[in-house]
Amino acid sequence: MTENEYEDEEAAEEFKIASFVDMVRDCSRIGIPYSSQGHLQIFDMFVVEKWPIVQAFALEGIGGDGFFTMKYELQDVSLSLWNVYSKMDPMSLESLLSEDLVAFEHQWTSFFANFDTEIPFLLELSESQAGEPFRSYFSHGMISSHITENSPNRQPFVLFGNHSTRENLNAGNFNFPSEGHLVRSTGPNGSFAKHMVVQCVSPKGPLACSRTYFFGATHIPYLGDENKLPKKTEQIRLLSQVYAAVIEAVLSGIACYAKTSSLTKAKEVAEQTLGSGLDSFELMQFKAALRSKMAFHIHAVNNQGRIVPLDSEDSLYFVKTACMTVYDIPDLLGGRGCLGSVVFSESFLTSQILVKEKDGTVTTETSFIVLTAAIPRFCSWLVEDNEVKLSEKTQQAVKGDACFLGTFLTGGEGAYLYSSNPHSWPEEGKVHFFSSGLLFSHRHHGSVILSKDHMNSISFYDGVFSPWQQQANSGLSLKVIQEDGLSVEQKRLHSNAQKLFSVLSHSAREKQSPLKLLPAKLPELDWFLQHFTVSSISREPVMRTHLPVLLQQAEINPTHRVENDKVIISIVTGLPGCHASELCAFLVTLHKEYGRWMVYRQIMDSSECFHAAHFQRYLSSVLEAQLNRSARQSAYIRKKTRLLVVLQGYTDVIDVIQALQTHPDSNVKSSFTIGAITVCMEPLSCYMEHRFLFPKCLDQCSQGLVSNVVFTSHTTEQRHPLLVQLQSLIRAANPTAAFILAENGIVTRNEDIELILSENSFSSPQMLRSRYLMYPGWYEGKFDAGSVFPLMVQICVWFGRPLEKTRFMAKCKAIQSSIKPSPFSGNIYHILGKVKFSDSERAMEVCHNTLANSLSIVPVLEGPSPPPDSRTTPQDSNGQQECYLVFIGCSLKEESVKDWLRQSAKQKPQRKALKTRGMLTQQEIRNIHVKRHLDPLPAGYFYNGTQFVNFFGDKTDFHPLMDQFMNDYVEEANREIEKYNRELEQQEYHDLFEQKP
């Protein structure tokens, strides 16, 4: 119902109620989503009975008579629906990325804002103040939620220094009670904290991540000589090195889990990676002590933020969080006490595609995306004046003072420093070039100096820095390279940096959707979305050869042509009466010279619209005929062979595709290839009632299968409302289909004909991707096209005697006025077939469309021009009953259809009944009197010119012998009737469906 279709509000309400009644008419049990998500309530069917739409169900004349809850068995399906909603699919992932993740990242932005303060104010910051954004975000979001998750993994926290012990981290309830835990006092022996551990948790979603950040420089800038680190800096450096190893361990554990779905294997890999990381930082002697304090876990979280068992069947479709914690790290550099803990976790989503190899085995292709990767994994703040002074000292050279970096060349411009380290992200600062190195200054990390003495080579992607290149004996190789000279890792870094630059270059006034900005923060997102879209459809495996195209890793060469020995199948389909046959005849007649044509039409003497076994046998016979042709004929038939499959019925095109894909003979399957699939649409014949489409109407236009939609009526009137409305509907179902206007199936543009006869439409990458997304398992016949609703019955009746053309036309035209509304029982919508009429010996092809009230009667053409009919039936073989009609409608019965058709044939004359005096009509009596009123009068009567008078003076208007005259009339009439009946009994009459002798 369109917005303005019912100006009368009452009529609109009645339509809504009537639609509801129709929807539940044939149901016995009805599922009710009684409880909203996260708010489970006790199911009460009497509450359902009070719903307005349910109360209206009992309205007389509209509703279903009686109480809804007494007529139907009701069932609460809330929990089942929640389970479906909890799984991640492409739509929910888009919502997570564009809404939840944006809000989640905003909390981190607010968190970092708390640390943008000057020394010594940073030292006075408390855990409560720092964690306020996380606490508010979580607690406010949980106010309206009934989730009672109290796991430490799903709680926010901010803990400074040695307050981040195992006991504090496992408390299970982080409410930030203390204002007394300050940066200044939570370090060893009451010194300032060297680090903090933080965690943010989405209150009603699956996102969560934890980080470890540092207070103070984790390095001392290189000043021309090796400097001994003070103890406090060594403590920070130790923590940062452990943290770096933990990051690597978590990321490797995520990668392992995505590939194996095994928590045990992921934990083993994470522990091994942690050990390797500690070795790389020369912390081998501390490895055993640290690994004993390590904990690694992965937990799955549904879309409502509830932890679910990792080994559950549905866990594959949930966001997961991987976390590693190294608890209570002792001062391994000789001090006493505990430095606190190091924590790192990421939320990630996995994608798994089952792939069928050439040998039939099934393997898995996996991918994953770390959803929280854009949250900075490493950050530090300078908290002591001497650190700031040290950083400032390195910048004296910028002012022209002599220093170990040599002569100042240029710089001071904003730049991003980006390394291949997985826990780094482009850091914004200022870069300065010197004759002996680089200086990068950052407001948090201080100065980073890259001396030429510590470089082996340097490559410039843009421009030439000649002062470096001209220095002789510098020991440094300077190369200027083009894009194709970049390594794989350099290309990745450059691509990520370029995406970030594109985002930053947009004006603040330009509004960019979050999904467009995300690839700059999550460089792997585009690839993962391709993978996840395919994996989310079903657990049916995909073909290995198709996988690169599905993931857009490779494209099929558009100039690829079908091998000459393959038969190209062009499919034309549509609902009955859509003029598909006319389009077929037009194509064959117009393009005979393009190659050899064969035409297959579905058999009509079956209750099925499409008979897969019959189609497969036909393909086998075609291939056998080709192989058996003599060598003498081969030169003649070298033209490309084409098969035109014409379907008119309530069937899915996917059934035809699967019939070919699942052909039992592999030689037959490999000998045919599908070209373009075209569906014909007759706008007047698309709606059964109101805006209720005929079954399979939109299914026949499906994306991934159908490349062309041909509209076969209302094409001459520009922008006809019905045509425009239908085109809009089909465009929503198939955005990529080409629209072709062909009145009555006659195509007028050459480019449209080329589209219909295209050889590569079905095999194009775009169609292949869409087909896999919409029809999982189609290539193995595993996709179920679904039932036809309302059920359309197809009844084929055969007969061998002619019809009366006038009677047949009148009865066809009268069907439209007898069409009944839902449930449409007894409605005849289409009549088509081949008949003979009594006024001619020529066979005629008829097609009647009830809703369009159109009847086509055309001669069945002889010769090679029309498409040959593939139908072979017993009725044709013996010359009997060569006529047939197919009736298509709802709840049709064969006897009823035959009775209807008998009335279109010559009717058997009925015996006439003998007359009696009482059966004479007044008109007959007057006629008798007019004929015999001048007969002689009996004695005693005379005629006075006006009336008959006897000797008593009695007068009458009728002849005195009128009774005798009527008896004579009846006797004469009965003699004629008896003669007629005798002659009728001698005549031979045959029923329409009686076979000829």
Side-chain angles (χ1 to χ4, degrees):
M1 184 170 64
T2 58
E3 183 177 353
N4 299 320
E5 195 155 349
Y6 284 117
E7 296 181 1
D8 185 352
E9 185 177 347
E10 183 176 348
E13 288 299 317
E14 289 185 1
F15 175 80
K16 181 168 64 176
I17 298 167
S19 299
F20 173 67
V21 172
D22 286 340
M23 283 189 290
V24 301
R25 185 185 307 277
D26 298 322
C27 301
S28 58
R29 291 194 304 166
I30 296 178
I32 305 292
Y34 189 77
S35 303
S36 59
Q37 202 159 352
H39 298 268
L40 185 62
Q41 303 176 54
I42 298 176
F43 182 63
D44 186 349
M45 68 173 60
F46 295 106
V47 173
V48 176
E49 191 66 61
K50 294 178 181 178
W51 293 353
I53 188 70
V54 174
Q55 286 185 322
F57 179 84
L59 289 178
E60 185 177 353
I62 296 180
D65 295 332
F67 290 103
F68 185 79
T69 53
M70 294 182 67
K71 187 169 184 178
Y72 300 103
E73 179 185 346
L74 304 187
Q75 182 178 355
D76 186 7
V77 295
S78 302
L79 290 176
S80 299
L81 289 177
W82 293 358
N83 188 41
V84 174
Y85 298 152
S86 294
K87 296 178 183 179
M88 193 64 68
D89 57 31
M91 289 300 296
S92 56
L93 177 58
E94 180 177 333
S95 175
L96 178 71
L97 295 173
S98 61
E99 298 175 14
D100 295 9
L101 184 57
V102 172
F104 186 81
E105 291 179 348
H106 177 70
Q107 311 313 313
W108 286 91
T109 301
S110 300
F111 167 78
F112 286 117
N114 287 327
F115 294 87
D116 288 335
T117 184
E118 299 293 333
I119 301 172
F121 300 107
L122 183 60
L123 293 171
E124 306 304 323
L125 192 66
S126 70
E127 291 177 349
S128 180
Q129 292 170 322
E132 194 280 332
F134 296 164
R135 180 174 68 253
S136 299
Y137 172 57
F138 187 77
S139 59
H140 291 173
M142 296 293 284
I143 290 176
S144 61
S145 174
H146 288 192
I147 298 175
T148 57
E149 190 68 68
N150 60 0
S151 167
N153 302 316
R154 298 297 301 171
Q155 300 264 342
F157 58 76
V158 173
L159 299 173
F160 292 161
N162 55 18
H163 190 225
S164 59
T165 61
R166 180 191 294 264
E167 180 182 358
N168 293 321
L169 283 169
N170 292 338
N173 184 20
F174 302 99
N175 52 13
F176 308 103
S178 174
E179 290 285 352
H181 293 95
L182 309 179
V183 175
R184 178 183 298 280
S185 59
T186 50
N189 301 318
S191 63
F192 69 85
K194 306 304 182 290
H195 76 302
M196 64 175 168
V197 294
V198 299
Q199 178 168 282
C200 182
V201 178
S202 174
K204 293 183 180 179
L207 296 176
C209 73
S210 50
R211 298 287 188 263
T212 299
Y213 296 142
F214 301 94
F215 297 115
T218 58
H219 71 288
I220 288 186
Y222 173 76
L223 299 177
D225 58 353
E226 296 299 333
N227 300 280
K228 181 175 176 60
L229 293 175
K231 182 177 180 180
K232 58 188 176 184
T233 305
E234 289 182 349
Q235 292 172 338
I236 297 175
R237 192 170 190 179
L238 169 64
L239 290 170
S240 67
Q241 289 173 338
V242 173
Y243 178 59
V246 167
I247 292 176
E248 295 282 1
V250 170
L251 296 181
S252 62
I254 291 175
C256 178
Y257 183 84
K259 188 174 183 179
T260 64
S261 299
S262 170
L263 176 59
T264 302
K265 293 181 179 179
K267 186 175 182 179
E268 291 176 357
V269 169
E271 291 178 354
Q272 292 171 3
T273 305
L274 177 65
S276 299
L278 294 176
D279 289 344
S280 67
F281 291 121
E282 299 180 353
L283 297 174
M284 291 80 75
Q285 67 273 30
F286 308 130
K287 186 188 301 186
L290 292 177
R291 289 183 66 174
S292 65
K293 298 175 179 292
M294 182 274 296
F296 176 80
H297 62 84
I298 297 176
H299 58 267
V301 186
N302 65 21
N303 288 353
Q304 288 74 52
R306 297 177 183 268
I307 294 180
V308 297
L310 197 61
D311 56 357
S312 69
E313 183 180 352
D314 298 328
S315 66
L316 178 65
Y317 304 98
F318 293 143
V319 172
K320 299 168 187 67
T321 301
C323 179
M324 177 175 279
T325 306
V326 180
Y327 293 103
D328 302 338
I329 301 173
D331 189 349
L332 301 174
L333 301 173
R336 293 182 178 180
C338 169
L339 298 179
S341 304
V342 166
V343 183
F344 179 76
S345 70
E346 296 279 28
S347 288
F348 66 99
L349 183 63
T350 59
S351 177
Q352 185 182 88
I353 301 175
L354 299 180
V355 181
K356 190 166 188 178
E357 307 292 349
K358 290 183 178 180
D359 61 0
T361 60
V362 176
T363 59
T364 58
E365 285 286 329
T366 60
S367 179
F368 68 93
I369 184 74
V370 178
L371 299 169
T372 49
I375 307 302
R377 291 171 175 166
F378 183 90
C379 192
S380 65
W381 292 269
L382 303 181
V383 295
E384 288 191 307
D385 290 335
N386 59 345
E387 290 178 323
V388 177
K389 291 177 181 178
L390 183 61
S391 178
E392 291 175 348
K393 181 180 179 181
T394 61
Q395 298 197 41
Q396 292 177 358
V398 178
K399 302 176 182 178
D401 298 344
C403 79
F404 66 95
L405 284 176
T407 307
F408 175 68
L409 299 177
T410 185
E413 300 298 329
Y416 283 87
L417 185 66
Y418 191 17
S419 79
S420 59
N421 195 304
H423 55 75
S424 70
W425 189 247
E427 294 287 352
E428 184 179 10
K430 293 185 177 181
V431 66
H432 308 273
F433 290 87
F434 294 83
S435 59
S436 298
L438 299 175
L439 170 64
F440 182 81
S441 60
H442 190 277
R443 60 180 184 144
H444 288 159
H445 305 306
S447 297
V448 178
I449 295 173
L450 302 176
S451 171
K452 287 170 61 177
D453 295 339
H454 293 172
M455 300 180 192
N456 294 324
S457 65
I458 186 168
S459 299
F460 277 90
Y461 175 49
D462 292 320
V464 179
F465 206 60
S466 56
W468 283 18
Q469 196 172 29
Q470 292 170 358
Q471 294 180 16
N473 301 321
S474 64
L476 175 63
S477 172
L478 175 63
K479 300 178 182 178
V480 180
I481 60 175
Q482 301 301 319
E483 184 175 4
D484 56 3
L486 295 174
S487 67
V488 174
E489 181 63 19
Q490 290 168 341
K491 286 181 179 180
R492 184 185 70 83
L493 293 175
H494 179 265
S495 174
N496 294 348
Q498 187 63 44
K499 290 177 181 178
L500 180 63
F501 173 77
S502 299
V503 172
L504 296 174
S505 64
H506 283 294
S507 168
R509 292 173 297 178
E510 294 184 44
K511 293 184 177 179
Q512 293 290 326
S513 69
L515 283 179
K516 290 183 179 179
L517 302 180
L518 275 171
K521 300 178 180 179
L522 303 175
E524 301 84 8
L525 180 61
D526 288 338
W527 157 250
F528 178 80
L529 289 177
Q530 293 287 346
H531 198 283
F532 188 67
T533 299
V534 177
S535 70
S536 300
I537 300 305
S538 80
R539 298 299 291 163
E540 290 293 335
V542 302
M543 301 290 287
R544 170 64 68 182
T545 54
H546 293 166
L547 188 61
V549 178
L550 292 176
L551 299 180
Q552 296 187 335
Q553 292 175 306
E555 293 288 342
I556 295 177
N557 187 351
T559 61
H560 167 71
R561 304 298 291 177
V562 178
E563 296 90 337
N564 286 331
D565 60 342
K566 286 199 173 187
V567 178
I568 304 164
I569 300 177
S570 298
I571 300 176
V572 178
T573 186
L575 299 181
C578 66
H579 301 286
S581 292
E582 289 86 340
L583 176 61
C584 168
F586 170 80
L587 293 174
V588 175
T589 303
L590 187 64
H591 290 273
K592 286 184 296 183
E593 67 278 9
Y594 284 10
R596 299 185 61 259
W597 280 96
M598 296 175 292
V599 179
Y600 174 86
R601 297 183 185 182
Q602 74 267 42
I603 55 176
M604 303 305 296
D605 59 338
S606 169
S607 59
E608 299 177 87
C609 289
F610 175 74
H611 199 277
H614 183 272
F615 181 59
Q616 290 174 337
R617 290 194 299 270
Y618 176 79
L619 295 179
S620 298
S621 64
V622 169
L623 181 60
E624 183 180 0
Q626 282 193 316
L627 296 176
N628 290 337
R629 287 193 180 98
S630 65
R632 181 179 58 82
Q633 292 175 311
S634 61
Y636 172 75
I637 60 149
R638 244 170 230 164
K639 295 181 187 179
K640 176 78 73 177
T641 302
R642 301 185 69 100
L643 170 60
L644 193 56
V645 176
V646 187
L647 308 171
Q648 289 193 87
Y650 299 89
T651 186
D652 273 283
V653 187
I654 190 66
D655 292 333
V656 185
I657 307 304
Q658 292 189 132
L660 173 61
Q661 295 289 345
T662 60
H663 198 289
D665 188 335
S666 59
N667 291 330
V668 175
K669 182 166 59 175
S670 61
S671 299
F672 293 86
T673 183
I674 298 174
I677 299 177
T678 302
V679 61
C680 294
M681 301 291 290
E682 207 288 322
L684 281 178
S685 305
C686 292
Y687 296 104
M688 296 186 72
E689 181 181 40
H690 196 67
R691 287 293 181 261
F692 186 73
L693 286 164
F694 272 96
K696 300 299 180 181
C697 184
L698 282 186
D699 293 337
Q700 291 184 345
C701 302
S702 293
Q703 187 177 5
L705 296 175
V706 173
S707 50
N708 309 303
V709 179
V710 178
F711 298 93
T712 57
S713 74
H714 295 76
T715 62
T716 56
E717 181 180 344
Q718 291 292 327
R719 307 292 295 173
H720 189 282
L722 181 59
L723 180 62
V724 171
Q725 193 275 337
L726 187 61
Q727 287 178 332
S728 176
L729 182 63
I730 296 174
R731 180 61 71 208
N734 190 341
T736 61
F739 284 179
I740 298 172
L741 302 181
E743 192 73 21
N744 296 322
I746 307 302
V747 186
T748 57
R749 302 194 316 166
N750 289 334
E751 52 266 40
D752 292 337
I753 296 174
E754 292 174 0
L755 288 173
I756 297 173
L757 300 180
S758 170
E759 297 180 3
N760 295 304
S761 296
F762 185 77
S763 59
S764 69
Q766 183 184 48
M767 297 287 277
L768 179 62
R769 293 187 197 105
S770 299
R771 194 154 57 248
Y772 262 104
L773 297 182
M774 299 186 69
Y775 303 96
W778 58 272
Y779 62 93
E780 289 188 332
K782 293 182 179 180
F783 184 85
D784 184 6
S787 59
V788 176
F789 181 82
L791 180 62
M792 304 300 289
V793 179
Q794 176 174 302
I795 296 177
C796 181
V797 292
W798 292 84
F799 51 97
R801 302 185 182 276
L803 300 178
E804 297 296 312
K805 189 173 184 179
T806 304
R807 296 178 67 89
F808 178 76
M809 293 175 62
K811 288 195 66 61
C812 287
K813 294 293 183 182
I815 296 176
Q816 188 182 55
S817 60
S818 65
I819 289 293
K820 296 185 285 292
S822 178
F824 317 111
S825 179
N827 287 350
I828 298 175
Y829 291 106
H830 308 283
I831 303 174
L832 46 100
K834 182 178 67 174
V835 302
K836 285 185 178 180
F837 294 108
S838 58
D839 60 353
S840 172
E841 287 296 322
R842 193 168 188 180
M844 310 296 285
E845 187 172 337
V846 301
C847 179
H848 173 68
N849 189 335
T850 298
L851 296 186
N853 209 9
S854 62
L855 175 61
S856 168
I857 302 178
V858 295
V860 175
L861 299 178
E862 303 294 339
S865 294
D869 197 335
S870 64
R871 183 191 304 108
T872 57
T873 64
Q875 288 88 343
D876 288 326
S877 60
N878 57 15
Q880 305 295 316
Q881 295 191 311
E882 66 274 14
C883 300
Y884 73 93
L885 282 177
V886 178
F887 292 79
I888 304 175
C890 292
S891 303
L892 300 183
K893 305 296 183 183
E894 183 174 354
E895 281 306 313
S896 299
V897 168
K898 286 185 174 181
D899 289 342
W900 183 94
L901 194 56
R902 284 188 178 100
Q903 299 176 41
S904 299
K906 184 178 181 180
Q907 301 299 297
K908 180 180 180 179
Q910 299 294 321
R911 285 177 57 89
K912 294 182 180 180
L914 295 176
K915 285 183 176 294
T916 62
R917 282 275 304 268
M919 294 170 60
L920 296 178
T921 65
Q922 290 297 321
Q923 183 61 44
E924 286 179 306
I925 295 173
R926 283 194 294 270
N927 291 340
I928 294 172
H929 185 262
V930 168
K931 181 179 180 180
R932 302 193 62 178
H933 74 283
L934 296 179
D935 281 14
L937 293 171
Y941 279 87
F942 69 93
Y943 183 65
N944 63 8
T946 304
Q947 292 176 310
F948 298 93
V949 185
N950 62 16
F951 61 93
F952 295 110
D954 298 328
K955 298 178 180 179
T956 178
D957 293 330
F958 289 98
H959 193 286
L961 300 178
M962 189 61 186
D963 286 342
Q964 182 62 42
F965 296 161
M966 289 191 292
N967 290 336
D968 295 343
Y969 174 82
V970 170
E971 289 179 4
E972 180 62 26
N974 284 338
R975 282 194 295 269
E976 292 295 328
I977 290 174
E978 289 173 348
K979 179 182 178 182
Y980 172 83
N981 288 341
R982 285 193 301 271
E983 293 176 351
L984 184 63
E985 290 174 357
Q986 295 174 359
Q987 295 179 3
E988 185 178 8
Y989 175 79
H990 299 281
D991 182 74
L992 181 64
F993 302 101
E994 181 182 341
Q995 291 190 6
K996 293 180 179 179

